[in-house]
Amino acid sequence: MNRNDRFQELVDIAAGLEKKHVCVVVHPCDEASLSSAVQAGKLNLFIPVLVGPEERIRVVAREYDLDISGLQIINTGHSHASADTAVAEVQAGRATLMMKGSLHSDELLHSVLCYNGGLRTERRISHVFVMDVPSYDKLLFITDGAINIFPTLCEKADIIRNAIDLHLALGLDTPRVAILSAVEQINEKLQSTIDAAALCKMADRGQIKGGILDGPLAMDNAISPEAAAIKGIRSEVAGHAQILVVPDLEAGNMLVKNLTFLSGADAAGIVLGARVPIVLTSRADSERTRLASCAVAAVYADSLLQNRVIGK
């Protein structure tokens, strides 16, 4: 598949969903977030509801010639109130998607976790980057490079479960999950190798379902069949990984930015594990990646609604 078709296919799938999900767009007071919401609405990815200071939103719309005439606006006084109000909309069943606007991610997630009971589930909240890498022949999921700083073994298990559920919800095949470390041998001095071994055994015993796990694997033998062959690693995952599970946030964040800025990759992404998927936009994102993130969230929300994902 041509790389330009990978994200477009996700957009087409979302646009073709029978049910149009309502997305609360939290504090869209800059051009990037407001234009993304407007464009996603025009493409029928979801129905945007703008939550924030109404006059500020209208000023941005006028400044950048964005047509928001048909969109509902829920007026709030400031960013914290915007986040709380958006959570309340989800709690009331009036929205099944959430999208970050021009407030800080920590502020939004604090409301998601804490406001009036929040939007918690039994799962740990985590982030997945869905990457279109020019030199790789499939979409590459990287988790978690945005939320969990130093995840524990149990938290890593939920991070993997969330990523597997997303992969399946997008209509992709059974994912091959590589649990990354610096080496492929278990080493007591590298906790990530011990965690990887334990996670693989958890999968063997049915504690993690839906994917094929292997680890520890170094980055080269996770994605390169040649590197895996040279090192004598034989598994269904080595050389063909579709999900990369990083040891910690720093490693994941650097890997994603390396692929983005040195390899020309595009990175869409959403937060999983809450009652609804959450799109975290960035001013540095291209329109293509922002719309891909919206599409991924819409397709995943549809799977949640039909009870096809969580609980497998």
Coordinates of all heavy atoms in Angstrom, one line a residue, residues 23-37 50-52 79 82-83 86 98-105 107-108 278-283 290:
C23 N -18.2 14.2 19.4 CA -16.9 14.5 20.0 C -16.9 15.8 20.7 O -17.1 16.8 20.0 CB -15.8 14.4 18.9 SG -14.1 14.8 19.5
V24 N -16.6 15.8 22.0 CA -16.5 17.1 22.7 C -15.0 17.6 22.4 O -14.1 16.9 22.8 CB -16.8 16.9 24.2 CG1 -18.2 17.0 24.4 CG2 -16.2 15.7 24.8
V25 N -14.9 18.7 21.8 CA -13.6 19.3 21.5 C -13.3 20.3 22.6 O -14.0 21.3 22.8 CB -13.6 20.0 20.2 CG1 -12.2 20.5 19.8 CG2 -14.1 19.0 19.1
V26 N -12.3 20.0 23.4 CA -12.1 20.7 24.7 C -11.2 21.9 24.5 O -10.0 21.8 24.2 CB -11.4 19.8 25.7 CG1 -11.4 20.4 27.1 CG2 -12.2 18.4 25.8
H27 N -11.8 23.1 24.7 CA -11.1 24.4 24.6 C -10.3 24.6 23.3 O -9.1 24.8 23.3 CB -10.1 24.4 25.8 CG -9.8 25.8 26.3 ND1 -10.8 26.5 27.0 CD2 -8.8 26.7 26.2 CE1 -10.3 27.7 27.4 NE2 -9.1 27.8 26.9
P28 N -11.1 24.6 22.2 CA -10.4 24.8 20.9 C -10.2 26.3 20.6 O -10.9 26.9 19.7 CB -11.5 24.2 19.9 CG -12.8 24.4 20.6 CD -12.5 24.3 22.1
C29 N -9.3 26.9 21.2 CA -9.1 28.3 21.2 C -7.8 28.7 20.4 O -7.3 29.8 20.6 CB -9.0 28.9 22.6 SG -10.5 28.7 23.5
D30 N -7.4 27.8 19.5 CA -6.3 28.1 18.5 C -6.7 27.6 17.2 O -7.6 26.8 17.0 CB -5.0 27.6 19.0 CG -4.8 26.1 19.1 OD1 -5.9 25.4 18.9 OD2 -3.7 25.6 19.4
E31 N -5.9 28.0 16.2 CA -6.3 27.6 14.8 C -6.1 26.1 14.6 O -7.0 25.5 13.9 CB -5.4 28.4 13.8 CG -5.7 28.2 12.4 CD -5.1 27.0 11.7 OE1 -4.0 26.5 12.3 OE2 -5.6 26.5 10.7
A32 N -5.1 25.5 15.1 CA -4.8 24.1 14.9 C -6.0 23.2 15.4 O -6.5 22.4 14.6 CB -3.5 23.6 15.6
S33 N -6.4 23.4 16.6 CA -7.4 22.5 17.2 C -8.8 22.8 16.6 O -9.6 21.9 16.3 CB -7.5 22.6 18.7 OG -7.7 23.9 19.1
L34 N -9.1 24.1 16.4 CA -10.4 24.4 15.9 C -10.6 24.0 14.4 O -11.6 23.5 14.0 CB -10.7 25.9 16.0 CG -12.1 26.4 15.6 CD1 -13.2 25.7 16.4 CD2 -12.2 27.9 15.8
S35 N -9.5 24.2 13.6 CA -9.6 23.8 12.2 C -9.7 22.3 12.1 O -10.4 21.8 11.2 CB -8.4 24.4 11.4 OG -7.2 23.8 11.9
S36 N -9.0 21.6 13.0 CA -9.1 20.1 12.9 C -10.5 19.7 13.2 O -11.0 18.7 12.5 CB -8.1 19.5 14.0 OG -6.8 19.8 13.7
A37 N -11.1 20.3 14.2 CA -12.5 19.9 14.5 C -13.5 20.2 13.4 O -14.3 19.4 13.0 CB -13.0 20.6 15.8
L50 N -18.1 22.0 20.4 CA -17.0 22.9 20.9 C -17.3 23.3 22.4 O -18.3 23.9 22.7 CB -16.9 24.1 20.0 CG -16.8 23.8 18.5 CD1 -16.7 25.1 17.7 CD2 -15.7 22.9 18.2
V51 N -16.3 23.0 23.2 CA -16.5 23.3 24.7 C -15.4 24.3 25.0 O -14.2 24.0 25.1 CB -16.4 22.1 25.5 CG1 -16.6 22.4 27.0 CG2 -17.4 21.0 25.1
G52 N -15.8 25.5 25.3 CA -14.8 26.6 25.7 C -15.4 27.9 25.7 O -16.6 28.1 25.5
S79 N -10.1 27.1 30.7 CA -9.7 25.8 30.3 C -10.1 24.7 31.2 O -10.5 23.6 30.8 CB -8.2 25.8 29.9 OG -7.4 26.1 31.1
S82 N -13.6 24.0 30.9 CA -13.8 23.3 29.6 C -13.6 21.8 29.8 O -14.4 21.0 29.3 CB -12.9 23.9 28.6 OG -13.1 25.2 28.3
A83 N -12.5 21.4 30.5 CA -12.2 20.0 30.6 C -13.3 19.3 31.5 O -13.7 18.2 31.2 CB -10.8 19.9 31.3
A86 N -16.5 19.0 29.5 CA -16.4 17.9 28.5 C -16.6 16.5 29.1 O -17.3 15.7 28.6 CB -15.1 18.0 27.8
M98 N -13.6 12.4 22.7 CA -13.1 13.6 23.3 C -11.8 14.0 22.5 O -11.0 13.1 22.1 CB -12.7 13.4 24.7 CG -12.3 14.7 25.5 SD -12.0 14.4 27.2 CE -13.7 14.2 27.8
M99 N -11.6 15.3 22.3 CA -10.5 15.8 21.6 C -9.9 17.0 22.3 O -10.6 17.9 22.7 CB -10.9 16.2 20.1 CG -9.8 16.8 19.3 SD -10.5 17.1 17.6 CE -9.0 17.9 16.8
K100 N -8.6 17.0 22.5 CA -7.9 18.0 23.2 C -7.8 19.3 22.3 O -7.4 19.1 21.1 CB -6.5 17.6 23.6 CG -5.6 18.7 24.2 CD -4.2 18.1 24.5 CE -3.2 19.2 24.8 NZ -2.9 20.0 23.6
G101 N -8.0 20.4 22.9 CA -7.8 21.7 22.1 C -6.5 22.4 22.6 O -5.5 21.7 22.8
S102 N -6.6 23.7 22.9 CA -5.4 24.4 23.3 C -5.2 24.5 24.8 O -4.8 25.6 25.3 CB -5.6 25.8 22.7 OG -6.7 26.5 23.1
L103 N -5.5 23.5 25.5 CA -5.1 23.4 26.9 C -4.0 22.3 27.1 O -3.8 21.5 26.1 CB -6.3 23.1 27.8 CG -6.9 21.7 27.8 CD1 -7.9 21.6 28.9 CD2 -7.4 21.2 26.5
H104 N -3.4 22.3 28.2 CA -2.3 21.4 28.4 C -2.9 20.0 28.6 O -3.9 19.8 29.2 CB -1.4 21.8 29.6 CG -0.1 21.1 29.6 ND1 0.1 19.8 30.1 CD2 1.1 21.5 29.2 CE1 1.3 19.5 30.0 NE2 2.0 20.5 29.5
S105 N -2.2 19.0 28.1 CA -2.6 17.6 28.3 C -2.9 17.2 29.7 O -3.8 16.5 30.0 CB -1.6 16.6 27.6 OG -1.5 16.9 26.2
E107 N -3.8 19.0 32.2 CA -5.0 19.6 32.7 C -6.2 18.8 32.2 O -7.2 18.5 33.0 CB -5.1 21.1 32.2 CG -6.3 21.8 32.8 CD -6.3 23.3 32.4 OE1 -5.6 23.7 31.5 OE2 -7.0 24.1 33.0
L108 N -6.2 18.4 30.9 CA -7.3 17.6 30.4 C -7.4 16.3 31.1 O -8.5 15.8 31.6 CB -7.2 17.4 28.9 CG -8.2 16.5 28.3 CD1 -9.6 17.0 28.5 CD2 -7.9 16.3 26.8
I278 N -9.5 9.4 23.4 CA -9.2 10.9 23.5 C -8.1 11.2 22.5 O -7.1 10.6 22.5 CB -8.7 11.2 24.9 CG1 -9.8 10.8 26.0 CG2 -8.4 12.7 25.0 CD1 -9.3 10.8 27.4
V279 N -8.4 12.2 21.6 CA -7.5 12.6 20.7 C -6.6 13.7 21.3 O -7.2 14.7 21.8 CB -8.2 13.1 19.4 CG1 -7.1 13.6 18.4 CG2 -9.1 12.1 18.8
L280 N -5.3 13.5 21.3 CA -4.4 14.6 21.8 C -3.7 15.2 20.6 O -2.8 14.7 20.0 CB -3.3 14.0 22.7 CG -3.8 13.4 24.0 CD1 -2.6 13.0 24.9 CD2 -4.6 14.4 24.8
T281 N -4.2 16.4 20.2 CA -3.6 17.1 19.1 C -2.4 17.9 19.5 O -2.2 18.2 20.7 CB -4.6 18.1 18.5 OG1 -5.1 19.0 19.5 CG2 -5.8 17.3 17.9
S282 N -1.5 18.2 18.5 CA -0.4 19.1 18.8 C -0.3 20.1 17.7 O -0.6 19.8 16.5 CB 0.9 18.2 18.8 OG 2.1 19.0 18.7
R283 N 0.2 21.3 18.0 CA 0.4 22.3 17.0 C 1.4 21.9 16.0 O 1.3 22.5 14.8 CB 0.8 23.6 17.7 CG -0.3 24.3 18.5 CD 0.2 25.5 19.2 NE 1.1 25.1 20.3 CZ 1.8 26.0 21.0 NH1 1.6 27.3 20.9 NH2 2.6 25.6 22.0
R290 N -3.5 15.0 12.1 CA -4.6 15.3 13.0 C -5.9 14.6 12.6 O -6.7 14.1 13.4 CB -4.8 16.8 13.1 CG -3.7 17.6 13.8 CD -4.1 19.0 14.2 NE -4.5 19.8 13.0 CZ -3.6 20.7 12.4 NH1 -2.4 20.7 12.8 NH2 -4.0 21.4 11.4

